[in-house]
């Protein structure tokens, strides 16, 4: 038994020594002998295990690939979700650039940081201060119109009140200049009837107060700063008329306005320097200039048409009277022929030219006479002119 | 010889070897469990030291065939580990789970040390860092995996019959 145990121990040692020896031999084998042994092992014993490992690595590769694809989709979705924000920001900055190019000088671009507290709802912090040239009561504008006015200035920042601040006032007018008034915030209790429900969102609206009773504004009319207040120059859009509201003031109208600037979009603003604020802002906000010029064009066109129609009517009447006189054998007064000929030559092409008398020529050539007659055409104007000029 | 226990042990070792070539690449951890070491421990405590040395040698040589830089190193390490475990089983009663875990940690760490030293891919501080940090971590993970496997397979394994 002991001999068997000793034999087993010796056998174990021999096997162990043999394995160690073979391992050492494998380690010192030259590469050209080592490779065939390894190759045999790879093709026989290890081959199925290697195939298993390849399959596992393929699974892992597929899993990682799917994960990468998912991440890529998430990234794309994230990027796509940011596109509208970037587009709106881009649009806003483009508008700011457009406003800057129209203002040309005397403005300071600033970033607007909204107030954090409830009291600060109508106050914004601007990222530029006195170092940049901002002073107290500098105007804050946006591409859409009036934003507010600077109240406190520090070297590197400033505080401005928005148009909805209770202290905000601006003298305003309609685009055609037919109605003037004062724009102020729409605060509950001041003008709203007691029975109406005042919504929180209405707090951002404005009121155009003190409009003369004879002036009526339709909804949609744009209201601009009139420049009468001395702070805001003329021509900056303030708001759009929503409708008339009833107030206790019986001698004037009050209109509710929607602000030109959406308070939620006040992210970047322009602050006008004091010098720029007092100088003209023509053609900066294209709307008012285009509206003004359009209304002027309409008035001028209407005048010229009326003038032309009156001239034609008077000339025809004169011609009919003259021909009737000639037919009855009555010679018309001497100078009246000249006047007739002038009138006809003006209105009827191809009429015979009759020399003018030196006394009447300067009189008839005055444009005021002809235009005054044309503005208010009357049935007897031609005869009166004719007779008046016929007298010496 | 209990043929039933032998077959169960062979099947479990085969399963662990398969896990080594499937689960390990799937996890791809920096310090991953070595299921071949666990399989060798399972086998070594059930056979004579000489047979354990041969099993270790075969497993090591098979591993070396995929890593030509240190051909023979794995075989040497596995032979030493298999023979030692089988001898230690005779000295200690190796049916204790934590003791098995300790042996696994020691065996895997020794294997890593032998491989890193023989391969000569790293030197100096880098070799020291690899042995002390990554090899230790890998040995710890292997020990944990081995202990879990032994606890799960305890009803199946019957060490007393081996």
């Amino acid at each position: 038994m002991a001999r068997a145990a000793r034999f087993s121990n010796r056998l174990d040692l021999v096997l162990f020594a043999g394995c160690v020896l073979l391992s050492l031999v494998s380690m010192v084998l030259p590469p050209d002998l080592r490779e065939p042994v390894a190759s045999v092992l790879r093709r026989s014993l290890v081959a199925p295990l290697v195939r298993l490992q390849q399959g596992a690595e393929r699974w892992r590769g597929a899993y990682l690939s799917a994960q990468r694809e998912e991440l890529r989709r998430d990234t794309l979705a994230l990027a796509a979700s940011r596109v509208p924000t970037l587009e709106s920001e881009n649009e806003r900055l483009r508008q700011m650039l457009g406003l800057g190019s129209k203002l040309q000088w005397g403005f300071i671009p600033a970033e607007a940081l909204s107030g954090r507290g409830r009291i600060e709802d109508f106050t914004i912090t601007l990222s530029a201060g006195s170092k940049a040239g901002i002073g107290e009561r500098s105007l804050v504008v946006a591409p859409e119109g009036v934003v507010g006015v600077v109240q406190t200035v520090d070297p590197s920042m400033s505080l401005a009140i928005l148009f909805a601040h209770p202290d905000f006032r601006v003298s305003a007018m309609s685009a055609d200049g037919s109605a003037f008034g004062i724009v102020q915030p729409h605060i509950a209790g001041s003008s709203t009837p007691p029975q109406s429900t005042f919504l929180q969102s209405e707090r951002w609206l404005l009121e155009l107060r003190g409009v003369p009773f004879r002036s009526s504004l339709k909804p949609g009319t744009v209201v601009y700063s009139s420049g009468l207040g001395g702070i805001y120059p003329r021509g900056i859009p303030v708001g759009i008329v929503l409708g008339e509201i009833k107030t206790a003031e019986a001698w004037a109208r009050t209109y509710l306005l929607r602000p030109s600037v959406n308070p939620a979009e006040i992210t970047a603003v322009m602050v006008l320097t004091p010098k720029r604020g007092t100088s003209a802002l023509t053609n900066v906000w294209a709307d008012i200039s285009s509206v003004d010029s359009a209304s002027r064009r309409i008035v001028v066109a209407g005048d010229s048409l009326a003038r032309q129609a009156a001239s034609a009517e008077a000339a025809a009447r004169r011609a009919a009277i003259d021909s009737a006189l000639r037919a009855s054998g009555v010679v018309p007064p001497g100078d009246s022929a000249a006047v007739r000929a002038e009138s006809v030559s003006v209105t009827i092409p191809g009429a015979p030219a009759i020399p003018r008398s030196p006394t009447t020529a300067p009189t008839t050539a005055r444009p005021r006479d002809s235009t005054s007659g044309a503005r208010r055409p009357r049935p007897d104007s031609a005869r009166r002119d004719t007779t008046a000029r016929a007298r010496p | 010889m209990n043929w039933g226990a032998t077959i169960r042990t062979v099947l479990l070792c085969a399963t662990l070897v398969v896990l080594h070539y499937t689960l390990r690449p799937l996890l791809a951890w920096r310090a991953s469990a070595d299921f071949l070491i666990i399989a060798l421990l399972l086998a070594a405590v059930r056979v004579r030291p000489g047979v354990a040395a041969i099993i270790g040698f075969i497993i090591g040589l098979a591993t070396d065939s995929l890593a030509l830089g240190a051909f023979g190193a794995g075989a040497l390490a596995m032979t030493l580990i298999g023979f030692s475990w089988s001898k230690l089983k005779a000295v200690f009663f190796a049916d204790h789970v934590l003791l098995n875990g300790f042996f696994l940690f020691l065996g895997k760490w020794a294997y890593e040390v032998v491989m890193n030293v023989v391969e000569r891919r790293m030197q100096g501080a880098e070799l020291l860092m690899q042995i002390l940090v990554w090899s230790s971590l890998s040995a710890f993970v292997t020990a944990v995996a081995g202990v879990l496997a032994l606890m799960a397979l305890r009803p199946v394994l019957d060490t007393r019959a081996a």
Side-chain angles (χ1 to χ4, degrees):
Chain A
M1 187 71 180
R3 184 181 286 179
R6 273 201 303 276
F7 175 75
S8 295
N9 285 339
R10 280 179 190 167
L11 185 63
D12 287 339
L13 280 173
V14 169
L15 287 174
F16 171 67
C19 288
V20 170
L21 190 65
L22 281 174
S23 300
L24 292 173
V25 169
S26 314
M27 287 171 65
V28 296
L29 272 179
D32 52 341
L33 289 177
R34 188 190 301 170
E35 178 51 32
V37 179
S39 177
V40 167
L41 282 170
R42 283 198 300 268
R43 287 177 191 171
S44 56
L45 187 65
V46 186
L49 300 175
V50 169
R51 277 199 291 274
L52 279 174
Q53 190 170 359
Q54 283 174 349
E57 281 175 358
R58 271 203 298 272
W59 289 346
R60 179 170 171 77
Y63 171 74
L64 289 176
S65 175
Q67 210 172 21
R68 274 197 299 271
E69 183 68 19
E70 194 177 346
L71 284 173
R72 198 177 63 85
R73 280 182 197 161
D74 286 352
T75 310
L76 283 174
L78 186 67
S81 69
R82 289 183 59 192
V83 165
T85 312
L86 290 174
E87 278 180 351
S88 63
E89 189 182 356
N90 194 17
E91 180 65 24
R92 184 79 191 163
L93 292 174
R94 279 176 190 278
Q95 286 175 349
M96 291 294 291
L97 281 175
L99 178 61
S101 66
K102 283 177 183 174
L103 286 169
Q104 292 181 350
W105 63 276
F107 63 89
I108 299 145
E111 222 173 314
L113 313 167
S114 299
R116 295 188 191 92
R118 195 177 165 189
I119 302 168
E120 296 173 307
D121 275 351
F122 309 117
T123 308
I124 52 170
T125 306
L126 304 177
S127 61
S130 57
K131 280 182 188 170
I134 294 177
E136 280 187 14
R137 307 182 83 181
S138 294
L139 313 179
V140 184
V141 294
E144 294 84 10
V146 169
V147 172
V149 62
V150 174
Q151 221 174 29
T152 309
V153 183
D154 289 336
S156 58
M157 59 178 283
S158 49
L159 296 173
I161 58 167
L162 290 177
F163 52 77
H165 194 277
D167 295 342
F168 180 82
R169 299 286 186 279
V170 59
S171 174
M173 65 173 193
S174 60
D176 57 359
S178 63
F180 284 81
I182 301 290
V183 170
Q184 63 179 66
H186 179 58
I187 300 170
S190 66
S191 59
T192 48
Q195 68 272 15
S196 69
T197 318
F198 187 78
L199 300 173
Q200 189 61 33
S201 57
E202 288 180 27
R203 181 60 188 82
W204 289 96
L205 297 179
L206 298 169
E207 289 176 8
L208 177 62
R209 299 173 72 93
V211 179
F213 214 79
R214 65 175 184 281
S215 305
S216 171
L217 295 175
K218 290 179 180 174
T221 306
V222 183
V223 173
Y224 296 89
S225 60
S226 65
L228 299 177
I231 297 177
Y232 277 94
R234 185 175 184 273
I236 307 176
V238 179
I240 296 164
V241 174
L242 293 174
E244 188 179 353
I245 52 175
K246 299 295 176 191
T247 60
E249 299 167 356
W251 59 88
R253 292 179 191 270
T254 301
Y255 290 93
L256 194 64
L257 305 183
R258 179 172 63 80
S260 300
V261 179
N262 183 355
E265 291 177 359
I266 302 173
T267 52
V269 294
M270 294 285 195
V271 183
L272 303 183
T273 56
K275 273 188 182 177
R276 190 70 178 95
T278 53
S279 62
L281 290 175
T282 50
N283 295 325
V284 174
W285 279 271
D287 292 341
I288 188 165
S289 58
S290 62
V291 169
D292 280 348
S293 58
S295 57
R296 264 187 235 115
R297 276 199 301 273
I298 290 167
V299 171
V300 169
D303 281 355
S304 60
L305 281 173
R307 204 180 305 137
Q308 201 172 355
S311 302
E313 189 185 344
R317 199 169 287 138
R318 275 189 220 112
I321 291 166
D322 286 351
S323 57
L325 285 172
R326 277 196 201 96
S328 61
V330 180
V331 180
D335 279 344
S336 67
V339 175
R340 274 200 319 270
E342 187 190 14
S343 304
V344 171
S345 69
V346 171
T347 55
I348 305 168
I354 299 170
R356 298 174 187 175
S357 73
T359 53
T360 56
T363 312
T364 54
R366 279 190 302 174
R368 182 176 284 188
D369 288 346
S370 61
T371 54
S372 64
R375 270 187 194 157
R376 281 189 282 278
R378 292 170 61 178
D380 57 343
S381 63
R383 183 183 288 273
R384 239 197 253 171
D385 287 347
T386 310
T387 51
R389 282 169 192 153
R391 284 176 195 151
Chain B
M1 178 179 276
N2 187 345
W3 285 102
T6 306
I7 290 170
R8 280 200 297 273
T9 305
V10 170
L11 285 176
L12 283 175
C13 288
T15 306
L16 287 168
V17 170
V18 169
L19 279 178
H20 185 82
Y21 286 97
T22 51
L23 190 60
R24 226 166 90 113
L26 274 178
L27 296 176
W29 291 345
R30 174 75 170 81
S32 55
D34 194 335
F35 292 97
L36 291 180
I37 294 279
I38 301 170
L40 180 61
L41 174 72
L42 276 177
V45 295
R46 285 165 178 80
V47 294
R48 293 193 59 79
V51 180
I54 292 172
I55 293 171
F57 176 75
I58 293 169
I59 292 175
L61 205 62
T63 312
D64 288 341
S65 67
L66 298 172
L68 289 177
F71 191 74
L76 179 64
M78 287 287 199
T79 302
L80 289 169
I81 292 165
F83 184 78
S84 306
W85 271 340
S86 191
K87 274 284 187 193
L88 284 170
K89 178 238 175 185
V91 178
F92 302 102
F93 182 67
D95 200 19
H96 196 269
V97 174
L98 289 180
L99 202 58
N100 277 323
F102 175 71
F103 284 150
L104 275 171
F105 177 85
L106 212 60
K108 174 63 179 171
W109 191 75
Y111 173 80
E112 289 276 327
V113 169
V114 170
M115 289 298 289
N116 283 310
V117 169
V118 173
E119 272 183 347
R120 294 179 187 172
R121 279 190 304 185
M122 287 172 277
Q123 287 179 342
E126 194 185 6
L127 178 66
L128 206 63
M129 174 71 82
Q130 178 68 30
I131 288 171
L132 292 179
V133 177
W134 293 111
S135 297
S136 303
L137 202 58
S138 181
F140 177 76
V141 175
T142 303
V144 170
V147 166
L148 289 175
L150 287 174
M151 286 169 71
L153 299 173
R154 187 179 283 269
V156 182
L157 295 169
D158 183 9
T159 51
R160 283 167 299 181

